[in-house]
Amino acid sequence: MTTFRQRLTRVMDGRSRKGAELGPYAVEIEKDLRVPMDDGIELLADLYRPIGADGSLPTIVIRGPYGRSGSLGGAARVLAYEGFTVLFVSSRGTWGSPGVFQPQVDEQRDGIATHRWTRAQPWFTGRLATFGESYMGYTQWAVAGKMQRDEPENAPEAYVLQITMADFGAITWNNGAFALRNSLGWTRMMDRMDRGGLALLGMLFPDPKLEKAFDVLPLSAGDSAAIGRQISWYQDWVRHEDLGDEYWTKQSHTGSVPDVTAPVFMLTGWYDIFTPWQLRTYRQLVEAGNAPFLTIGPWGHISSGKAAPAHRDSVAFLKSVFADEPWDRPAPVRAFQTGTDVWHDLPEWPPPAVTSQSWLLGAEGTVGQNAVPPGSTRYTYDPDEPTPAVGGPSLLPDTDPVDNAEHEKRSDVVTFRSSALSTPLELAGEPVAHIRVRSSAPSFDVFVRITDVGPDGRSMTVCDGVRRIGSVGTRATDPDADADGFREVSLPLWPTFHHFAAGHRLGIQISSGAHPRYARNPGTGEAAFDAVSTIVAQQEVAHGGLQGSRIDLPVWSR
């Protein structure tokens, strides 16, 4: 007999997943189990058990630092409604688990200890899977390859990895540019979670202190400005600007991705903060012979629209692996094409018949496939009045494409437009920009965005990317300058699956920043931890001829 509260909770769980059909089981919850770690710490966990289930489905482990109740508890409950036993463990130093929370640092050893312990429990159903999104996906990557290689008898037998990646350093310092909005915003959020109570409500409203903190120099003072004190991990992130530092390499699990041989399901969105890296780990698995199932939708990191399809696909995947239930999925990859708003079933990502086409930037703001005479375009970048971010992937609720028309009127943004397309143009993959540029500053950023320019003049974001030059973290890999001071800066843009309709134009936007999505570049080349001085930079982009700039587009010819 279910209680009124249980029935109400089930209704709310269904509504949060846009009416997705939930499983038939009632759920019992055992709270605050103690899970011993190798150093004697006992992490707290909640156990969700489906009442009356026959135990034929696997036990699922979820691990993360965001608590075990609310919407996250809902993720565990909806799996238990389907017949899965679910263990939800709080990372050390969070939500009652003792120890000190150091993001990413302890997740591998704690995950391995958790999986060993889980398999020894009387309620363990005999097979093990892991599940989760964002940080709860990273905790899966932290153990996946290592356990499958070193102790396969204890390793998970399937993985559900949603909007996540295996190396958080790569997004923190994205091609040398510090992801300020995400890093400081997340730090602020975790501090409020740690304090609990009414502080959680603050995450739902604008935070003037945070907005002001985005403009503080040096970057290492941002946490004090936003929160009122230093936060150890934020200080570490800013201090370790070079991704080759041991601080980052010991947290990266990209190298062990090919060791994963168990079945994998991935889900991401075109506007998620992790998309480039998640799709690269997908390719690693494909090339290692373990092609995952993959769903890519029109979602950002916290888009509500992904909840229902994520639930349906995750459950279908797990039941197909562990219960041999048929999954009515016609192809391994399901991807949403923007521009047409149509889902496509594909054998892999990128799909077959994708070829690279070079589109050349030309004089007077043109872009096309034909050769153009050489020339250059100049603009000024002032870090004291930094080029603002307009849209783009973030931890904010709304990351849908935005109109850049007003933004492109700025003097520190240069734009290029193709002629109206006579036939549709479809992109499927990761565009790569090759921008020949010189700067009067020792260090500078190159930010490139592709837009879809409609007949009405709107210039809607398709995808973008950034690359820093002349910084502590990039000097070892910076391209050399030629005799005239120009460097060819190559940068991958966000993956995309976009249809440009006939009559539309391909737009290319170049600037030297997107603040505070990426922290402004002061221009001095000093370590970001200490840099307070700024330099106004005169930038020059070369186009045309052999010395020009281009965009290599992944064109889908189906």
Side-chain angles (χ1 to χ4, degrees), residues 191-522:
D191 175 71
R192 285 183 164 170
M193 280 189 173
D194 184 56
R195 287 186 284 127
L198 295 177
L200 292 175
L201 296 176
M203 292 186 292
L204 303 176
F205 302 100
D207 185 340
K209 288 184 68 174
L210 180 64
E211 294 299 321
K212 289 181 180 179
F214 288 147
D215 293 332
V216 169
L217 289 178
L219 281 181
S220 55
D223 50 357
S224 294
I227 299 167
R229 62 187 177 88
Q230 290 187 342
I231 303 298
S232 61
W233 66 75
Y234 181 82
Q235 293 293 304
D236 286 338
W237 294 347
V238 178
R239 187 183 303 277
H240 295 282
E241 197 169 342
D242 186 346
L243 293 180
D245 290 350
E246 184 183 6
Y247 174 80
W248 291 117
T249 58
K250 69 183 181 182
Q251 300 177 32
S252 174
H253 306 289
T254 303
S256 64
V257 168
D259 294 321
V260 176
T261 56
V264 173
F265 168 64
M266 291 184 173
L267 179 139
T268 188
W270 296 122
Y271 317 126
D272 183 49
I273 60 174
F274 296 130
T275 306
W277 300 277
Q278 183 157 5
L279 293 184
R280 290 171 197 161
T281 54
Y282 163 85
R283 285 307 310 175
Q284 283 183 277
L285 289 172
V286 169
E287 291 164 11
N290 183 27
F293 288 93
L294 172 67
T295 298
I296 320 172
W299 310 309
H301 198 69
I302 59 174
S303 297
S304 60
K306 76 176 186 295
H311 172 69
R312 288 194 298 265
D313 284 359
S314 297
V315 170
F317 164 76
L318 290 168
K319 290 187 175 180
S320 70
V321 171
F322 291 101
D324 294 323
E325 291 190 12
W327 186 5
D328 59 347
R329 186 178 177 111
V333 175
R334 192 155 197 263
F336 183 91
Q337 185 183 51
T338 58
T340 59
D341 295 349
V342 172
W343 286 93
H344 291 262
D345 294 302
L346 306 168
E348 62 178 330
W349 182 262
V354 170
T355 57
S356 180
Q357 287 185 6
S358 293
W359 287 58
L360 311 178
L361 306 189
E364 299 180 353
T366 61
V367 59
Q369 292 183 270
N370 297 324
V372 291
S376 65
T377 299
R378 297 176 174 84
Y379 65 97
T380 300
Y381 175 74
D382 183 353
D384 291 331
E385 296 291 338
T387 312
V390 177
S394 74
L395 294 174
L396 299 175
D398 185 7
T399 55
D400 287 348
V402 298
D403 183 7
N404 290 259
E406 285 300 315
H407 180 69
E408 291 171 351
K409 294 177 181 178
R410 291 178 58 96
S411 61
D412 56 0
V413 177
V414 296
T415 58
F416 300 82
R417 297 282 186 270
S418 72
S419 57
L421 299 171
S422 58
T423 58
L425 173 67
E426 295 188 304
L427 307 185
E430 196 172 85
V432 180
H434 304 275
I435 308 300
R436 290 196 64 86
V437 59
R438 66 181 175 188
S439 174
S440 63
S443 181
F444 61 95
D445 291 355
V446 178
F447 181 84
V448 179
R449 172 169 284 174
I450 294 175
T451 65
D452 184 336
V453 184
D456 59 1
R458 291 189 303 163
S459 180
M460 303 300 294
T461 299
V462 174
C463 61
D464 55 40
V466 69
R467 171 69 154 92
R468 180 160 292 187
I469 297 294
S471 70
V472 171
T474 69
R475 287 183 190 130
T477 57
D478 284 345
D480 294 330
D482 63 18
D484 295 319
F486 282 96
R487 306 170 189 258
E488 183 173 297
V489 178
S490 297
L491 62 144
L493 309 188
W494 235 249
T496 186
F497 189 25
H498 186 74
H499 175 99
F500 291 83
H504 286 224
R505 293 182 291 162
L506 172 74
I508 306 296
Q509 176 191 124
I510 299 176
S511 64
S512 291
H515 182 78
R517 177 179 166 193
Y518 299 109
R520 56 182 160 161
N521 189 336

Side-chain angles (χ1 to χ4, degrees), residues 30-37 43-49 58-64 68 76 79-80 84-90 111 113-119 121 123-124 128-131:
E30 185 177 352
K31 291 186 174 294
D32 296 338
L33 277 71
R34 296 184 177 274
V35 184
M37 299 295 102
L43 304 185
L44 292 190
D46 293 344
L47 181 65
Y48 296 75
R49 302 177 71 181
T59 298
I60 296 176
V61 171
I62 305 173
R63 297 190 302 115
R68 306 184 302 279
L79 290 171
F84 300 96
T85 296
V86 183
L87 181 73
F88 198 154
V89 186
S90 286
T114 297
H115 295 326
R116 291 170 178 163
W117 179 85
T118 300
R119 286 187 178 274
Q121 300 312 301
W123 42 259
F124 179 61
L128 179 66
T130 56
F131 174 94

Side-chain angles (χ1 to χ4, degrees), residues 56-102:
S56 61
L57 292 175
T59 298
I60 296 176
V61 171
I62 305 173
R63 297 190 302 115
Y66 301 133
R68 306 184 302 279
S69 59
S71 62
L72 293 177
R77 282 193 303 273
V78 296
L79 290 171
Y81 294 151
E82 300 287 346
F84 300 96
T85 296
V86 183
L87 181 73
F88 198 154
V89 186
S90 286
S91 297
R92 67 169 59 210
T94 69
W95 298 93
S97 288
V100 177
F101 179 54
Q102 304 176 85

